[in-house]
Amino acid sequence: QVQLVESGGGLVQPGGSLRLSCTASGFLDYHTISWFRQAPGKEREGVSCIRNRDGLTYYIDSVKGRFTISRDRAKNTVNLQMNSLKPDDTAVYYCAAAPAALDGSKWNRRVWYDYWGQGTQVTVSS
């Protein structure tokens, strides 16, 4: 049984930074790890992903240049460094694991993911 645990959320002022971490426990042989977010009243959307096979990463347009996803294999952790945060980034952030190496047309679709974390709240406000 794979468990994903997110950490690092909190309250930050606009322009600030946060670093989210997703740590996996149990056997993990999943090929794509992603971060999704869901704001109140909105659909859950893919934010970024990283593929184990080749390290390829994807980002939604609204976070490009501000967010960076990375993986620490030794710690079985995927991190999301979030800089220049905006109020529109306020949401619950979830990490998810997929058994396939997802491409640009699939990575941000929830149907491909088998495991999800419980989420961590990120609030950007002055």
Short mmCIF file of all heavy atoms in Angstrom, two decimals, residues 46-89:
data_model
loop_
_atom_site.label_atom_id
_atom_site.label_comp_id
_atom_site.label_asym_id
_atom_site.label_seq_id
_atom_site.Cartn_x
_atom_site.Cartn_y
_atom_site.Cartn_z
N GLY A 46 -4.15 20.22 -12.44
CA GLY A 46 -2.74 19.84 -12.38
C GLY A 46 -1.87 21.07 -12.38
O GLY A 46 -2.09 21.99 -13.18
N VAL A 47 -0.87 21.10 -11.51
CA VAL A 47 0.05 22.22 -11.41
C VAL A 47 1.40 21.89 -12.06
O VAL A 47 1.93 22.67 -12.85
CB VAL A 47 0.28 22.60 -9.93
CG1 VAL A 47 1.32 23.71 -9.81
CG2 VAL A 47 -1.04 23.01 -9.29
N SER A 48 1.91 20.69 -11.74
CA SER A 48 3.22 20.30 -12.26
C SER A 48 3.41 18.81 -12.08
O SER A 48 2.77 18.20 -11.22
CB SER A 48 4.33 21.05 -11.51
OG SER A 48 5.60 20.69 -12.01
N CYS A 49 4.27 18.21 -12.91
CA CYS A 49 4.59 16.80 -12.73
C CYS A 49 6.05 16.55 -13.08
O CYS A 49 6.68 17.36 -13.76
CB CYS A 49 3.67 15.89 -13.53
SG CYS A 49 4.18 15.65 -15.25
N ILE A 50 6.55 15.41 -12.62
CA ILE A 50 7.89 14.98 -12.96
C ILE A 50 7.86 13.49 -13.26
O ILE A 50 7.19 12.72 -12.57
CB ILE A 50 8.89 15.31 -11.82
CG1 ILE A 50 10.33 15.01 -12.26
CG2 ILE A 50 8.55 14.59 -10.53
CD1 ILE A 50 11.38 15.63 -11.35
N ARG A 51 8.54 13.10 -14.32
CA ARG A 51 8.58 11.69 -14.73
C ARG A 51 9.88 11.05 -14.26
O ARG A 51 10.96 11.62 -14.44
CB ARG A 51 8.48 11.56 -16.25
CG ARG A 51 7.19 12.09 -16.80
CD ARG A 51 6.88 11.66 -18.22
NE ARG A 51 8.02 11.59 -19.12
CZ ARG A 51 7.87 11.52 -20.43
NH1 ARG A 51 6.65 11.51 -20.97
NH2 ARG A 51 8.92 11.43 -21.22
N ASN A 52 9.78 9.86 -13.67
CA ASN A 52 10.96 9.16 -13.18
C ASN A 52 11.88 8.74 -14.31
O ASN A 52 13.10 8.76 -14.19
CB ASN A 52 10.55 7.91 -12.39
CG ASN A 52 10.02 8.26 -11.03
OD1 ASN A 52 10.27 9.34 -10.51
ND2 ASN A 52 9.26 7.35 -10.46
N ARG A 53 11.30 8.32 -15.43
CA ARG A 53 12.09 7.72 -16.51
C ARG A 53 13.14 8.67 -17.04
O ARG A 53 14.29 8.28 -17.29
CB ARG A 53 11.15 7.30 -17.64
CG ARG A 53 11.84 6.66 -18.84
CD ARG A 53 10.81 6.29 -19.89
NE ARG A 53 10.19 7.46 -20.48
CZ ARG A 53 9.17 7.41 -21.34
NH1 ARG A 53 8.65 6.24 -21.65
NH2 ARG A 53 8.68 8.51 -21.84
N ASP A 54 12.75 9.93 -17.22
CA ASP A 54 13.68 10.85 -17.88
C ASP A 54 13.77 12.21 -17.21
O ASP A 54 14.47 13.10 -17.70
CB ASP A 54 13.27 11.04 -19.34
CG ASP A 54 11.81 11.40 -19.49
OD1 ASP A 54 11.18 11.79 -18.47
OD2 ASP A 54 11.27 11.30 -20.61
N GLY A 55 13.06 12.37 -16.08
CA GLY A 55 13.11 13.63 -15.38
C GLY A 55 12.35 14.75 -16.04
O GLY A 55 12.43 15.91 -15.62
N LEU A 56 11.58 14.42 -17.08
CA LEU A 56 10.82 15.45 -17.79
C LEU A 56 9.78 16.06 -16.86
O LEU A 56 9.15 15.36 -16.07
CB LEU A 56 10.12 14.83 -19.00
CG LEU A 56 9.39 15.81 -19.94
CD1 LEU A 56 10.40 16.73 -20.62
CD2 LEU A 56 8.59 15.04 -20.97
N THR A 57 9.63 17.36 -16.96
CA THR A 57 8.68 18.07 -16.11
C THR A 57 7.66 18.84 -16.96
O THR A 57 7.94 19.23 -18.10
CB THR A 57 9.39 19.05 -15.18
OG1 THR A 57 10.13 20.00 -15.96
CG2 THR A 57 10.35 18.33 -14.24
N TYR A 58 6.50 19.02 -16.39
CA TYR A 58 5.45 19.83 -17.01
C TYR A 58 4.92 20.82 -15.97
O TYR A 58 4.90 20.53 -14.77
CB TYR A 58 4.29 18.96 -17.49
CG TYR A 58 4.62 18.05 -18.64
CD1 TYR A 58 4.83 16.69 -18.43
CD2 TYR A 58 4.70 18.53 -19.94
CE1 TYR A 58 5.12 15.83 -19.47
CE2 TYR A 58 5.00 17.68 -20.99
CZ TYR A 58 5.21 16.34 -20.75
OH TYR A 58 5.50 15.51 -21.80
N TYR A 59 4.45 21.97 -16.46
CA TYR A 59 3.86 22.99 -15.60
C TYR A 59 2.67 23.60 -16.32
O TYR A 59 2.66 23.73 -17.55
CB TYR A 59 4.86 24.11 -15.31
CG TYR A 59 6.11 23.68 -14.58
CD1 TYR A 59 7.24 23.28 -15.28
CD2 TYR A 59 6.17 23.71 -13.20
CE1 TYR A 59 8.39 22.89 -14.62
CE2 TYR A 59 7.32 23.33 -12.52
CZ TYR A 59 8.42 22.92 -13.25
OH TYR A 59 9.56 22.54 -12.58
N ILE A 60 1.69 24.02 -15.54
CA ILE A 60 0.64 24.83 -16.17
C ILE A 60 1.20 26.22 -16.40
O ILE A 60 2.13 26.67 -15.72
CB ILE A 60 -0.63 24.89 -15.30
CG1 ILE A 60 -0.32 25.38 -13.88
CG2 ILE A 60 -1.34 23.56 -15.28
CD1 ILE A 60 -1.57 25.68 -13.06
N ASP A 61 0.62 26.91 -17.36
CA ASP A 61 1.16 28.21 -17.78
C ASP A 61 1.23 29.22 -16.63
O ASP A 61 2.18 30.01 -16.54
CB ASP A 61 0.32 28.79 -18.91
CG ASP A 61 0.54 28.06 -20.22
OD1 ASP A 61 1.53 27.30 -20.33
OD2 ASP A 61 -0.28 28.24 -21.14
N SER A 62 0.25 29.18 -15.75
CA SER A 62 0.17 30.21 -14.71
C SER A 62 1.28 30.12 -13.67
O SER A 62 1.47 31.06 -12.89
CB SER A 62 -1.20 30.15 -14.02
OG SER A 62 -1.38 28.91 -13.40
N VAL A 63 2.01 29.00 -13.63
CA VAL A 63 3.08 28.87 -12.63
C VAL A 63 4.47 28.78 -13.26
O VAL A 63 5.47 28.73 -12.54
CB VAL A 63 2.86 27.65 -11.71
CG1 VAL A 63 1.47 27.69 -11.09
CG2 VAL A 63 3.11 26.34 -12.43
N LYS A 64 4.54 28.76 -14.57
CA LYS A 64 5.84 28.67 -15.24
C LYS A 64 6.72 29.85 -14.85
O LYS A 64 6.29 31.00 -14.84
CB LYS A 64 5.65 28.62 -16.76
CG LYS A 64 5.13 27.29 -17.26
CD LYS A 64 4.96 27.32 -18.78
CE LYS A 64 4.44 25.97 -19.27
NZ LYS A 64 4.21 25.98 -20.74
N GLY A 65 7.97 29.54 -14.54
CA GLY A 65 8.90 30.58 -14.13
C GLY A 65 8.84 30.92 -12.65
O GLY A 65 9.71 31.62 -12.13
N ARG A 66 7.81 30.40 -11.97
CA ARG A 66 7.67 30.66 -10.52
C ARG A 66 7.80 29.39 -9.69
O ARG A 66 8.32 29.44 -8.57
CB ARG A 66 6.31 31.31 -10.24
CG ARG A 66 6.09 32.63 -10.96
CD ARG A 66 4.83 33.32 -10.47
NE ARG A 66 3.62 32.55 -10.73
CZ ARG A 66 2.76 32.15 -9.79
NH1 ARG A 66 2.99 32.42 -8.53
NH2 ARG A 66 1.68 31.46 -10.13
N PHE A 67 7.31 28.28 -10.20
CA PHE A 67 7.33 27.01 -9.47
C PHE A 67 8.37 26.08 -10.09
O PHE A 67 8.56 26.07 -11.31
CB PHE A 67 5.98 26.32 -9.53
CG PHE A 67 4.87 26.99 -8.75
CD1 PHE A 67 5.01 28.26 -8.23
CD2 PHE A 67 3.66 26.32 -8.57
CE1 PHE A 67 3.99 28.86 -7.52
CE2 PHE A 67 2.63 26.91 -7.86
CZ PHE A 67 2.79 28.19 -7.34
N THR A 68 9.00 25.26 -9.25
CA THR A 68 9.95 24.27 -9.71
C THR A 68 9.70 22.95 -8.99
O THR A 68 9.68 22.92 -7.76
CB THR A 68 11.40 24.71 -9.45
OG1 THR A 68 11.64 25.97 -10.09
CG2 THR A 68 12.38 23.68 -10.01
N ILE A 69 9.53 21.89 -9.77
CA ILE A 69 9.33 20.56 -9.18
C ILE A 69 10.65 19.79 -9.25
O ILE A 69 11.42 19.94 -10.21
CB ILE A 69 8.21 19.79 -9.93
CG1 ILE A 69 7.80 18.55 -9.14
CG2 ILE A 69 8.60 19.46 -11.36
CD1 ILE A 69 6.52 17.90 -9.69
N SER A 70 10.91 18.99 -8.22
CA SER A 70 12.15 18.21 -8.19
C SER A 70 11.92 16.94 -7.38
O SER A 70 10.95 16.85 -6.62
CB SER A 70 13.29 19.02 -7.57
OG SER A 70 12.99 19.37 -6.24
N ARG A 71 12.82 15.97 -7.57
CA ARG A 71 12.67 14.71 -6.87
C ARG A 71 13.96 14.35 -6.16
O ARG A 71 15.05 14.46 -6.73
CB ARG A 71 12.30 13.59 -7.84
CG ARG A 71 12.23 12.24 -7.12
CD ARG A 71 11.35 11.26 -7.80
NE ARG A 71 11.19 10.08 -6.96
CZ ARG A 71 10.27 9.16 -7.12
NH1 ARG A 71 9.40 9.29 -8.10
NH2 ARG A 71 10.19 8.12 -6.32
N ASP A 72 13.82 13.89 -4.91
CA ASP A 72 14.93 13.37 -4.13
C ASP A 72 14.71 11.86 -4.02
O ASP A 72 13.93 11.40 -3.19
CB ASP A 72 14.97 14.03 -2.75
CG ASP A 72 16.18 13.62 -1.94
OD1 ASP A 72 16.69 12.50 -2.16
OD2 ASP A 72 16.60 14.38 -1.07
N ARG A 73 15.40 11.10 -4.84
CA ARG A 73 15.17 9.65 -4.90
C ARG A 73 15.55 8.98 -3.59
O ARG A 73 14.87 8.05 -3.15
CB ARG A 73 15.96 9.04 -6.04
CG ARG A 73 15.48 9.45 -7.41
CD ARG A 73 16.31 8.79 -8.50
NE ARG A 73 15.88 9.18 -9.83
CZ ARG A 73 14.91 8.58 -10.48
NH1 ARG A 73 14.26 7.56 -9.94
NH2 ARG A 73 14.56 8.99 -11.68
N ALA A 74 16.60 9.42 -2.98
CA ALA A 74 17.06 8.78 -1.74
C ALA A 74 16.02 8.90 -0.64
O ALA A 74 15.88 8.00 0.20
CB ALA A 74 18.38 9.39 -1.30
N LYS A 75 15.28 10.00 -0.64
CA LYS A 75 14.27 10.23 0.39
C LYS A 75 12.86 9.90 -0.08
O LYS A 75 11.90 10.07 0.68
CB LYS A 75 14.32 11.69 0.83
CG LYS A 75 15.63 12.09 1.49
CD LYS A 75 15.60 13.55 1.91
CE LYS A 75 16.91 13.96 2.57
NZ LYS A 75 16.89 15.39 2.99
N ASN A 76 12.73 9.43 -1.32
CA ASN A 76 11.41 9.13 -1.90
C ASN A 76 10.47 10.33 -1.77
O ASN A 76 9.30 10.20 -1.39
CB ASN A 76 10.79 7.92 -1.20
CG ASN A 76 10.39 6.84 -2.17
OD1 ASN A 76 10.73 6.90 -3.36
ND2 ASN A 76 9.67 5.86 -1.69
N THR A 77 11.01 11.49 -2.11
CA THR A 77 10.27 12.74 -1.93
C THR A 77 10.26 13.54 -3.22
O THR A 77 11.24 13.55 -3.96
CB THR A 77 10.93 13.58 -0.82
OG1 THR A 77 10.86 12.86 0.42
CG2 THR A 77 10.24 14.92 -0.65
N VAL A 78 9.12 14.17 -3.48
CA VAL A 78 9.00 15.12 -4.58
C VAL A 78 8.67 16.48 -3.98
O VAL A 78 7.75 16.59 -3.17
CB VAL A 78 7.91 14.69 -5.58
CG1 VAL A 78 7.65 15.79 -6.60
CG2 VAL A 78 8.33 13.41 -6.29
N ASN A 79 9.43 17.48 -4.37
CA ASN A 79 9.26 18.82 -3.82
C ASN A 79 8.71 19.78 -4.87
O ASN A 79 8.94 19.62 -6.07
CB ASN A 79 10.61 19.35 -3.34
CG ASN A 79 11.20 18.49 -2.26
OD1 ASN A 79 10.56 18.17 -1.26
ND2 ASN A 79 12.45 18.07 -2.44
N LEU A 80 7.98 20.77 -4.39
CA LEU A 80 7.48 21.84 -5.25
C LEU A 80 7.89 23.16 -4.60
O LEU A 80 7.33 23.57 -3.59
CB LEU A 80 5.96 21.77 -5.41
CG LEU A 80 5.37 22.78 -6.38
CD1 LEU A 80 5.81 22.43 -7.82
CD2 LEU A 80 3.85 22.79 -6.30
N GLN A 81 8.88 23.81 -5.22
CA GLN A 81 9.33 25.12 -4.75
C GLN A 81 8.46 26.18 -5.41
O GLN A 81 8.40 26.24 -6.64
CB GLN A 81 10.80 25.33 -5.11
CG GLN A 81 11.33 26.69 -4.70
CD GLN A 81 11.38 26.89 -3.19
OE1 GLN A 81 11.76 25.98 -2.46
NE2 GLN A 81 10.98 28.06 -2.73
N MET A 82 7.79 26.98 -4.61
CA MET A 82 6.86 27.97 -5.13
C MET A 82 7.35 29.35 -4.74
O MET A 82 7.42 29.69 -3.55
CB MET A 82 5.46 27.73 -4.55
CG MET A 82 4.94 26.32 -4.79
SD MET A 82 3.21 26.10 -4.29
CE MET A 82 3.34 26.41 -2.53
N ASN A 83 7.71 30.14 -5.74
CA ASN A 83 8.20 31.50 -5.52
C ASN A 83 7.22 32.51 -6.12
O ASN A 83 6.36 32.16 -6.92
CB ASN A 83 9.57 31.67 -6.17
CG ASN A 83 10.62 30.75 -5.58
OD1 ASN A 83 10.58 30.41 -4.40
ND2 ASN A 83 11.57 30.34 -6.41
N SER A 84 7.39 33.76 -5.73
CA SER A 84 6.54 34.85 -6.25
C SER A 84 5.07 34.48 -6.17
O SER A 84 4.32 34.64 -7.14
CB SER A 84 6.93 35.17 -7.70
OG SER A 84 8.29 35.53 -7.79
N LEU A 85 4.66 34.00 -5.02
CA LEU A 85 3.29 33.53 -4.87
C LEU A 85 2.28 34.64 -5.00
O LEU A 85 2.54 35.80 -4.61
CB LEU A 85 3.14 32.82 -3.52
CG LEU A 85 3.73 31.40 -3.51
CD1 LEU A 85 3.96 30.94 -2.08
CD2 LEU A 85 2.81 30.44 -4.23
N LYS A 86 1.13 34.30 -5.55
CA LYS A 86 0.05 35.24 -5.78
C LYS A 86 -1.21 34.76 -5.05
O LYS A 86 -1.35 33.57 -4.79
CB LYS A 86 -0.26 35.32 -7.28
CG LYS A 86 0.94 35.66 -8.15
CD LYS A 86 0.56 35.60 -9.62
CE LYS A 86 1.75 35.91 -10.51
NZ LYS A 86 1.39 35.83 -11.95
N PRO A 87 -2.14 35.66 -4.77
CA PRO A 87 -3.39 35.22 -4.13
C PRO A 87 -4.11 34.12 -4.92
O PRO A 87 -4.75 33.25 -4.32
CB PRO A 87 -4.21 36.51 -4.08
CG PRO A 87 -3.17 37.59 -3.97
CD PRO A 87 -2.04 37.13 -4.83
N ASP A 88 -3.98 34.14 -6.24
CA ASP A 88 -4.62 33.10 -7.07
C ASP A 88 -4.02 31.72 -6.86
O ASP A 88 -4.59 30.72 -7.31
CB ASP A 88 -4.53 33.47 -8.55
CG ASP A 88 -5.52 34.55 -8.94
OD1 ASP A 88 -6.41 34.86 -8.11
OD2 ASP A 88 -5.40 35.09 -10.05
N ASP A 89 -2.87 31.64 -6.21
CA ASP A 89 -2.27 30.34 -5.90
C ASP A 89 -2.87 29.70 -4.66
O ASP A 89 -2.55 28.55 -4.33
CB ASP A 89 -0.76 30.50 -5.69
CG ASP A 89 -0.03 30.95 -6.94
OD1 ASP A 89 -0.34 30.44 -8.02
OD2 ASP A 89 0.86 31.82 -6.82
#
